[in-house]
Amino acid sequence: MPDPPNATIAALFDELADLYELDGAVVHRVLAYRNAAKAVREAPVSVAAMHRQGRATELAGVGTTLDEKIGQLLETGSIPAVEKLRAKFPPGLVDLTRLPGLGPKRVRALYDQLGIDSLDALHAAAESQRLRGIRGFGARFEEAVLAAFAAGVDEEPAPRVLLHKALPVGEGIVEALRAHPAADRVDLAGSVRRLTDSVKDLDVIATSPNPPALLEAFARLDVIEECSASGEAGARARTHSGMKIDLRVVAPDQFGNLLQHLTGSKAHNVALREAAVRRGLHVSEYGILDDVSGETLRCAHEEEVYERLGLPWIPPELREDRGELAPGFAVPRLLTQDDLRGDLHCHTVASDGRHTVEEMASAARDRGLEYLAITDHSATHGFGNHVAPDELERQIERVAAANRRVEGITVLAGTEANILPDGSLDYPDELLARLDWVIASVHTSFAMDEAEMTARMVAAVEHPWVDALGHPTGRKIESRRPYAVDLDAVFTSAARAGTMIENNSSPDRRDLSDVHARAAAAAGVRILVDSDAHGTNTLGITRWGVATARRAWLGPDQVANALPWAQFAPLRKRARAQASSTGNSSSATTRSTAAGR
Ligand code: DGT
Ligand code: CA
Ligand code: CA
Ligand code: ZN
């Protein structure tokens, strides 16, 4: 019997969590299975193999009880606890938890009261308006159920993988293949090379003196669960974490052609080909055919492809047919992570972060930053800890202490204030004035119509103490839509008010998106690339914000925190207000109010 893939083990643990919850088990037991499912699903190597080496308990959340269950699965092909609970409930019950607003507890209530035991039964009950009569559900729930079926909740979606999960897998594979004697050149192509928000699959291309040996080595990599469609020229595989990979092996003198072709995007390639045809050239993955001479130019290097077409080499992040093929295009100087001098959004133990102000400050300094704003959540943050108004003074003192004790970095006492539905903030102005830096974000009441939401955000942008807008659209990539807001109106008022707009680097946000960040900068808004780190180990996630900035064609000139502190400091509203009240607009406050004490 072949080893069960990680996805199978994870699905069983998730099912067990659901079944325990249906059964009314205590919460921590349910959570334990969910955490283990996540750890197994994301494990880079075969968990079955880890079990056999006695190493499965090295996974976070997998203790001896779960390890034993993996053992049972390997030996007998099933887990007795799963079988026992499955027998206790109708099989369709767990499927019901796929509906929004339906956890196992509520599924149990539907089952007990209406006998609903499958997606079909639920659909029928909603259509015949039987759900609205049940206590705790109502007509709105019924509508949501019908909408979910209309959107295809009973069909399996093909999930896209966020870049921060996909890219390390791709880089690991490239590194492993490069280390193999049968590999010559190996590179990533496709969307992962363009650093898109999420990717469908990984595209890898290689040259080899011995293609069959390389393909065999690929199939045997630790991360590969299954390899199919393996031929002379390539293979298609799936990792233990469920990612699909296309590997192509190509002749060395065509590597550049294939790399260009497979990097895409499709829109870029289509436009490129059309432009080439007008010059009598036909571009394909095999070469560039010249109409007149009938000769095909093969390119070992991608630069030669662009050069033959009379183009500069275009950075992959720009290859989206968004102007990079227009006449007169010049490659812009794109932002790099090294350009960043400051970080204006992070959290500490005072709200939902994991480290202290000093720990964050030292870590930021060690990463080469000159300034760091501590922006814990403000008074009404809906979940978890926050800094209540009467604690703000202590927070300011903590920042002052960090400034005294940590050399080589300026720490700003800041806040991530909530933008309330009416556009006001949840700290009084006197408190906001005491701080060095204010970033304002929407964390609650997302469901407003566009005009209301726009008015709310414009009010925040125009607030005299708001220096920047945080994660401006509230989107979560592949899981939450942005809220309805007229971003152009927000950008226009931000440019006028001198309010910066954040490009949040959290890999599931990347908010503003590439297209929106470019529009904001074009409207004259200064962009920030912030980590929104909740611990010292995530300060480096600005890698993803930088990726978005590059896809937005941004360079250090448009990104405010690429400025040294002496130039950044006077851009803050409090510094500008001070400068204009003393009648000296050129006096840059190099040390800020609270932090300087
Ligand atoms: P995704 O969906 O995240 O995997 O995005 P890509 O861009 O990696 O798309 P993929 O893997 O389907 O194909 C890789 C590249 O191959 C794509 O960026 C451009 C090229 N390609 C694929 N299909 C076509 C096509 O129909 N026409 C052209 N011109 N190029 C294509
Ligand atoms: Ca791809
Ligand atoms: Ca592909
Ligand atoms: Zn936030």
Side-chain angles (χ1 to χ4, degrees):
M1 189 170 61
D3 273 350
N6 291 355
T8 304
I9 301 173
L12 282 167
F13 283 173
D14 264 334
E15 185 181 350
L16 207 43
D18 288 340
L19 288 167
Y20 275 129
E21 202 172 353
L22 276 173
D23 203 33
V26 288
V27 146
H28 69 254
R29 185 164 187 191
V30 173
L31 275 181
Y33 281 98
R34 290 212 203 289
N35 290 337
K38 184 165 183 289
V40 169
R41 185 171 292 115
E42 292 175 359
V45 298
S46 163
V47 172
M50 283 182 81
H51 170 84
R52 272 191 266 91
Q53 297 156 8
R55 290 179 41 226
T57 50
E58 286 172 21
L59 292 166
V62 176
T64 47
T65 314
L66 282 106
D67 191 30
E68 222 168 79
K69 293 197 159 59
I70 298 172
Q72 294 165 345
L73 179 65
L74 293 189
E75 273 165 40
T76 67
S78 73
I79 300 176
V82 176
E83 299 301 327
K84 199 170 130 217
L85 283 166
R86 272 183 187 161
K88 193 165 168 183
F89 300 105
L93 233 43
V94 167
D95 293 343
L96 292 174
T97 56
R98 270 197 262 159
L99 271 290
L102 262 195
K105 272 211 193 71
R106 282 160 63 78
V107 166
R108 181 73 189 263
L110 289 177
Y111 176 59
D112 289 345
Q113 295 183 48
L114 284 185
I116 291 172
D117 60 359
S118 67
L119 284 170
D120 281 346
L122 180 69
H123 198 180
E127 281 180 328
S128 58
Q129 306 191 343
R130 278 180 286 139
L131 295 178
R132 58 182 60 186
I134 315 179
R135 199 161 55 86
F137 289 86
R140 275 181 91 154
F141 174 72
E142 204 170 81
E143 273 167 37
V145 168
L146 289 173
F149 278 100
V153 69
D154 44 352
E155 292 151 24
E156 285 287 331
R160 291 179 68 84
V161 181
L162 298 187
L163 184 67
H164 77 297
K165 302 251 186 209
L167 187 53
V169 174
E171 287 171 339
I173 288 169
V174 166
E175 198 181 319
L177 291 181
R178 279 180 184 161
H180 195 274
D184 188 6
R185 298 174 68 187
V186 186
D187 269 307
L188 289 173
S191 53
V192 77
R193 185 173 180 228
R194 305 197 310 279
L195 305 179
T196 53
D197 293 338
S198 65
V199 312
K200 174 192 67 193
D201 63 2
L202 295 171
D203 302 280
V204 183
I205 72 173
T207 62
S208 170
N210 183 357
L214 183 62
L215 290 169
E216 180 166 334
F218 173 66
R220 290 186 176 196
L221 293 179
D222 270 352
V223 293
I224 301 296
E225 174 195 306
E226 183 186 54
C227 189
S228 65
S230 193
E232 259 288 283
R236 183 162 278 201
R238 196 174 59 225
T239 67
H240 291 289
S241 57
M243 283 222 69
K244 293 196 179 70
I245 307 164
D246 282 337
L247 170 67
R248 292 275 300 270
V249 183
V250 63
D253 65 349
Q254 289 175 311
F255 185 87
N257 300 103
L258 187 63
L259 180 61
Q260 194 288 319
H261 174 79
L262 283 183
T263 297
S265 66
K266 189 174 168 185
H268 173 84
N269 285 355
V270 167
L272 186 85
R273 241 178 289 140
E274 280 170 6
V277 164
R278 290 195 289 272
R279 308 168 66 121
L281 299 171
H282 297 274
V283 181
S284 77
E285 62 182 283
Y286 307 107
I288 303 174
L289 168 68
D290 185 327
D291 269 349
V292 176
S293 70
E295 276 172 26
T296 295
L297 177 72
R298 295 174 161 212
C299 305
H301 296 278
E302 197 181 46
E303 286 83 354
E304 298 160 31
V305 177
Y306 285 98
E307 195 183 336
R308 178 68 187 88
L309 301 174
L311 296 166
W313 179 81
I314 299 171
E317 298 93 323
L318 306 189
R319 299 186 196 171
E320 300 290 346
D321 192 23
R322 293 177 187 158
E324 76 279 11
L325 296 169
F329 166 82
V331 181
R333 153 81 158 90
L334 298 176
L335 190 74
T336 66
Q337 217 174 357
D338 282 345
D339 290 325
L340 299 180
R341 309 277 193 103
D343 189 343
L344 284 305
H345 186 167
C346 77
H347 298 267
T348 73
V349 288
S351 65
D352 50 356
R354 292 181 300 277
H355 294 102
T356 63
V357 173
E358 279 185 39
E359 287 165 339
M360 292 299 281
S362 316
R365 189 257 335 265
D366 293 347
R367 295 192 60 85
L369 295 183
E370 287 172 37
Y371 50 104
L372 174 73
I374 304 295
T375 54
D376 279 306
H377 291 290
S378 61
T380 60
H381 189 252
F383 35 90
N385 293 335
H386 56 258
V387 178
D390 61 352
E391 290 165 35
L392 200 58
E393 199 63 39
R394 281 198 50 220
Q395 176 85 340
I396 290 171
E397 279 163 21
R398 280 193 283 266
V399 169
N403 267 314
R404 283 192 301 271
R405 281 204 278 260
V406 185
E407 289 291 309
I409 187 163
T410 298
V411 190
L412 310 188
T415 180
E416 180 180 12
N418 275 319
I419 305 173
L420 300 174
D422 67 357
S424 66
L425 303 191
D426 58 354
Y427 283 133
D429 283 5
E430 310 85 76
L431 284 183
L432 295 173
R434 298 269 302 110
L435 295 167
D436 301 317
W437 172 256
V438 174
I439 188 159
S441 316
V442 168
H443 288 115
T444 54
S445 311
F446 290 0
M448 294 174 85
D449 72 34
E450 183 177 311
E452 284 174 330
M453 185 60 94
T454 305
R456 176 183 184 182
M457 300 201 45
V458 166
V461 157
E462 289 175 347
H463 191 290
W465 297 117
V466 169
D467 295 301
L469 207 54
H471 45 73
T473 75
R475 76 163 177 166
K476 292 275 179 80
I477 299 166
E478 302 298 321
S479 74
R480 188 168 81 198
R481 298 171 59 79
Y483 29 75
V485 58
D486 176 356
L487 284 174
D488 287 335
V490 174
F491 298 159
T492 306
S493 46
R496 197 182 302 132
T499 308
M500 303 177 196
I501 295 190
E502 167 181 276
N503 182 347
N504 190 294
S505 296
S506 305
D508 61 338
R509 290 189 183 272
R510 297 177 69 178
D511 179 13
L512 292 175
S513 68
D514 49 8
V515 171
H516 291 146
R518 190 171 170 191
V525 177
R526 284 198 167 87
I527 305 294
L528 290 170
V529 176
D530 287 337
S531 69
D532 195 359
H534 284 66
T536 53
N537 55 333
T538 45
L539 284 163
I541 63 172
T542 47
R543 177 179 189 187
W544 313 116
V546 168
T548 309
R550 292 172 66 88
R551 291 180 52 80
W553 296 44
L554 301 185
D557 289 350
Q558 291 121 322
V559 172
N561 55 322
L563 292 169
W565 171 239
Q567 288 174 42
F568 182 88
L571 300 175
R572 296 166 306 141
K573 284 188 184 163
R574 56 216 65 239
R576 298 199 328 250
Q578 204 177 22
S580 65
S581 72
T582 60
N584 181 358
S585 60
S586 68
S587 80
T589 36
T590 53
R591 198 74 170 171
S592 49
T593 46
R597 236 189 327 272

